[in-house]
Amino acid sequence: MENVIEIKNLKKAFGEKDVLKDVSMVLPRGKNIAILGESGTGKSVLAKCIVRLIEADSGEICVLGKDILGVENEELDEMRKKVGYLFQGGALYDSMTVKENLEFPIRRTQESKNKKEVAEMVEEALESVGLKDAINKMPAELSGGMKKRIGLARTLILKPEIILYDEPTTGLDPVTSGEISELILRVQEKYNTSSIIITHDIKCARITSSEKLKLMMGGKFYVEGTFKELSESDDKKVSSYFT
Amino acid sequence: MNMMLSKITGSLNTFFIEVGNILLFTVNVVKQLFSGPFEHKELIKQGYQIGNKTLPLIAITGFIMGLVLSLQSRPVLVDFGAQSLLPGMIAVSIIREIGPVITALLCAGKISSGIGAELGAMKVTEQLDAMEVSGTKPLNFVVASRVLATTLLVPILVFFADAVGLLGSFVAVNMHESMSVRLFMSQAFNSLSFSDVIPATIKSVFFGFFIGLIGAYKGYHTDKGTESVGISANSAVVTASLVIFIIDLIAVQVSDIIYGF
Ligand SMILES: Nc1ncnc2c1ncn2[C@@H]1O[C@H](COP(=O)(O)OP(=O)(O)OP(=O)(O)O)[C@@H](O)[C@H]1O
Ligand SMILES: [Mg+2]
């Protein structure tokens, strides 16, 4: 099976502080992997290294067969269009309406598209997150869960092959979290994306991960396994996540 | 003693690193200014906001400056029986120095801090990161459009400030004697030459560029956390004001060499 992301021996320190200490993982095409782990172990840093928002110190990251650490400028931007990134708060552009938020990435990266095509793409993306009514709202008028869904729609509109979700359900009530988790699964089925889902939410991890779960501790992966394997683990450190 | 020395070298170090980073940022922004895509809508929006925010302030300040300057200079000139020189003297000082510097400082306070806070908030809420990872070039869309807007607008605002300043001066002159607008204008413009107007305009263009750039730089490099937005806005004003005076100092030297005053 083809791997869309391959990470080998990735290391990253901020000053004196080692955050990522030798991280390796692969993401097979069409699969979802959930990464669990306590606050501050470097999960977000890992995701940001994959899209080069943070520069890794050493190691290798291959995205869709390309060494992402070796590309620059235009080529990097091309790669980034294939990798969607859902930020924790949604990161909606708050000076733009929902519609403009969704149009923005198309307008800036696919200039050949005409108005009608763009409008159709916006509609389709909003439909897939179930928020067609919100099209003319400003981000400030949306709830936290809606922001995340619009953020996901904005990510989907560029038809990425890979999506990185940074805590998609944190700060949401259990019902909305469940809906978002289902949505992530639906998106994967509909668009055949491959995803890494970073989360504290054990229910979200169970619903979304079609592949293994990984547990990160102190800047390294501690264990991996299916939901069932990990939840039945005798290791205190592991089982404490599942109670 | 040793500790003081290491403290001084330490802060010198951070100073030069900051200067280097600003230069690097400048190069990147200038590249974006010429590489497109050109966002004319964003440019117009930013330009409109700049004008909207500063025009009333500049009008009031410029008027008072012209008025006060004239009222204060008048007694000295009267002592020498040279009050007819007043309009010309005021015109030269407003157009060469007071108009550009006052406008630039007001814009540093209003515009630089505004840009610093706005981009700072965008940074903290990861909006800039989101643009970056979708390949939409925030340096082009967000930064270049704002820097271009300030570069184009500040010189226009300076002309406006000059005009209002002269109006203030005209009012001051008419408090003591009655002078027609025409006479005032001809006296004012007679003592002006291109060597007053051109360097001032060029200087204003640089003021405008750095007002936008420093605000954007500070905002773009905001640390995590809400309080850092305030810090960015604040240090944008301080740095921009400092840079304005440095440019002013360089400008006076350069025009000295060129026009040989
Ligand atoms: N830009 C940065 N500069 C310095 N230190 C950083 C930076 N980004 C992250 N860190 C540090 O790296 C560590 C890991 O941060 P990270 O955001 O990856 O944690 P996390 O695992 O995502 O936690 P959470 O679940 O709370 O989001 C933290 O201790 C943080 O202070
Ligand atoms: Mg995180």
Side-chain angles (χ1 to χ4, degrees):
Chain A
M1 200 183 324
E2 185 200 354
N3 293 325
V4 289
I5 296 181
E6 287 185 24
I7 300 172
K8 282 197 200 113
N9 309 109
L10 188 69
K11 290 187 184 131
K12 175 70 195 173
F14 292 103
E16 302 278 281
K17 191 171 173 197
D18 287 327
V19 176
L20 296 180
K21 308 165 191 162
D22 201 4
V23 172
S24 303
M25 69 174 285
V26 296
L27 174 67
R29 184 177 285 282
K31 298 286 181 191
N32 286 350
I33 288 187
I35 297 179
L36 291 160
E38 67 210 11
S39 224
T41 61
K43 304 184 298 294
S44 299
V45 171
L46 173 64
K48 285 178 181 170
C49 283
I50 297 175
V51 289
R52 292 270 300 273
L53 274 178
I54 292 177
E55 297 289 343
D57 293 338
S58 65
E60 282 173 45
I61 303 175
C62 267
V63 177
L64 298 165
K66 237 198 191 117
D67 171 24
I68 193 121
L69 302 182
V71 298
E72 278 313 321
N73 304 332
E74 298 296 318
E75 211 181 343
L76 178 60
D77 278 342
E78 280 310 308
M79 294 298 297
R80 280 170 166 174
K81 285 175 208 164
K82 297 177 189 159
V83 184
Y85 195 118
L86 188 67
F87 287 87
Q88 198 159 331
L92 299 183
Y93 310 135
D94 50 22
S95 61
M96 305 180 195
T97 65
V98 166
K99 181 161 166 265
E100 288 163 339
N101 259 281
L102 297 190
E103 284 169 351
F104 182 77
I106 314 171
R107 195 161 62 75
R108 297 281 297 172
T109 61
Q110 306 168 20
E111 283 143 62
S112 56
K113 289 261 179 340
N114 66 31
K115 271 204 171 124
K116 192 161 160 268
E117 288 172 299
V118 174
E120 277 166 10
M121 289 167 85
V122 169
E123 190 149 322
E124 189 201 329
L126 280 178
E127 187 145 32
S128 53
V129 298
L131 275 179
K132 268 170 90 172
D133 303 337
I135 187 158
N136 288 318
K137 290 216 164 85
M138 293 301 281
E141 302 170 60
L142 305 174
S143 70
M146 285 163 98
K147 278 185 190 156
K148 279 191 182 161
R149 285 205 238 176
I150 300 293
L152 179 57
R154 192 180 64 189
T155 308
L156 290 176
I157 208 158
L158 288 177
K159 302 256 152 53
E161 296 178 42
I162 303 167
I163 303 181
L164 309 176
Y165 295 91
D166 194 355
E167 314 205 357
T169 60
T170 306
L172 302 178
D173 65 87
V175 179
T176 316
S177 311
E179 279 171 17
I180 298 259
S181 307
E182 299 282 351
L183 183 59
I184 292 171
L185 203 60
R186 271 213 309 283
V187 162
Q188 192 232 336
E189 283 159 4
K190 185 170 170 194
Y191 296 96
N192 193 29
T193 52
S194 327
S195 307
I196 294 179
I197 299 129
I198 293 169
T199 184
H200 298 287
D201 177 359
I202 203 73
K203 195 174 137 212
C204 171
R206 177 172 54 81
I207 297 174
T208 56
S209 62
S210 58
E211 186 73 343
K212 279 169 278 192
L213 271 65
K214 283 171 166 293
L215 189 60
M216 201 169 179
M217 261 182 213
K220 280 183 193 164
F221 285 121
Y222 183 69
V223 280
E224 62 171 46
T226 61
F227 185 83
K228 197 161 177 294
E229 283 163 17
L230 293 194
S231 57
E232 286 164 3
S233 165
D234 298 330
D235 191 331
K236 270 254 167 57
K237 281 181 182 164
V238 178
S239 58
S240 64
Y241 275 86
F242 293 81
T243 46
Chain B
M1 188 65 209
N2 241 339
M3 237 173 78
M4 221 164 94
L5 206 70
S6 73
K7 239 187 188 162
I8 291 171
T9 50
S11 40
L12 268 181
N13 244 344
T14 28
F15 174 75
F16 283 116
I17 289 171
E18 179 89 346
V19 171
N21 284 339
I22 292 180
L23 285 180
L24 204 66
F25 188 72
T26 310
V27 171
N28 285 334
V29 171
V30 171
K31 259 193 219 156
Q32 291 303 326
L33 280 176
F34 291 104
S35 73
F38 182 67
E39 290 278 350
H40 62 277
K41 255 195 194 156
E42 186 70 10
L43 180 70
I44 292 169
K45 185 174 145 198
Q46 294 304 328
Y48 174 77
Q49 283 182 0
I50 292 170
N52 207 10
K53 270 190 195 164
T54 53
L55 265 183
L57 201 64
I58 289 175
I60 296 169
T61 321
F63 183 84
I64 294 177
M65 273 295 160
L67 190 93
V68 170
L69 202 64
S70 306
L71 290 178
Q72 284 186 340
S73 315
R74 199 185 137 82
V76 184
L77 290 177
V78 168
D79 283 349
F80 291 97
Q83 61 264 50
S84 64
L85 292 181
L86 187 63
M89 197 188 96
I90 300 296
V92 169
S93 40
I94 285 182
I95 284 170
R96 263 204 214 157
E97 184 64 18
I98 295 179
V101 171
I102 293 286
T103 308
L105 288 178
L106 287 176
C107 287
K110 274 240 121 151
I111 312 292
S112 277
S113 64
I115 293 177
E118 192 187 1
L119 298 209
M122 288 179 82
K123 176 80 185 185
V124 169
T125 54
E126 299 184 309
Q127 294 174 48
L128 292 177
D129 286 343
M131 287 188 186
E132 191 81 50
V133 295
S134 53
T136 50
K137 302 203 177 78
L139 216 51
N140 175 294
F141 181 79
V142 181
V143 177
S145 60
R146 281 171 175 75
V147 173
L148 193 59
T150 56
T151 311
L152 295 175
L153 257 109
V154 168
I156 297 173
L157 291 171
V158 167
F159 278 124
F160 174 70
D162 291 348
V164 183
L166 285 178
L167 179 68
S169 174
F170 175 73
V171 170
V173 168
N174 270 279
M175 285 175 177
H176 293 276
E177 56 189 299
S178 95
M179 189 188 264
S180 70
V181 180
R182 268 185 74 180
L183 183 61
F184 179 86
M185 282 302 172
S186 81
Q187 282 189 1
F189 284 101
N190 265 342
S191 34
L192 277 177
S193 65
F194 274 120
S195 63
D196 297 315
V197 180
I198 303 231
T201 308
I202 295 173
K203 180 162 92 174
S204 308
V205 171
F206 278 96
F207 286 165
F209 178 80
F210 281 101
I211 284 166
L213 187 97
I214 302 285
Y217 172 81
K218 290 293 178 184
Y220 211 84
H221 296 90
T222 302
D223 293 332
K224 289 248 148 23
T226 331
E227 73 279 7
S228 15
V229 176
I231 296 172
S232 292
N234 207 322
S235 84
V237 180
V238 175
T239 314
S241 310
L242 197 68
V243 169
I244 286 165
F245 285 116
I246 293 172
I247 294 172
D248 202 35
L249 195 67
I250 296 171
V252 76
Q253 304 291 341
V254 171
S255 52
D256 242 16
I257 292 166
I258 295 176
Y259 295 99
F261 290 127

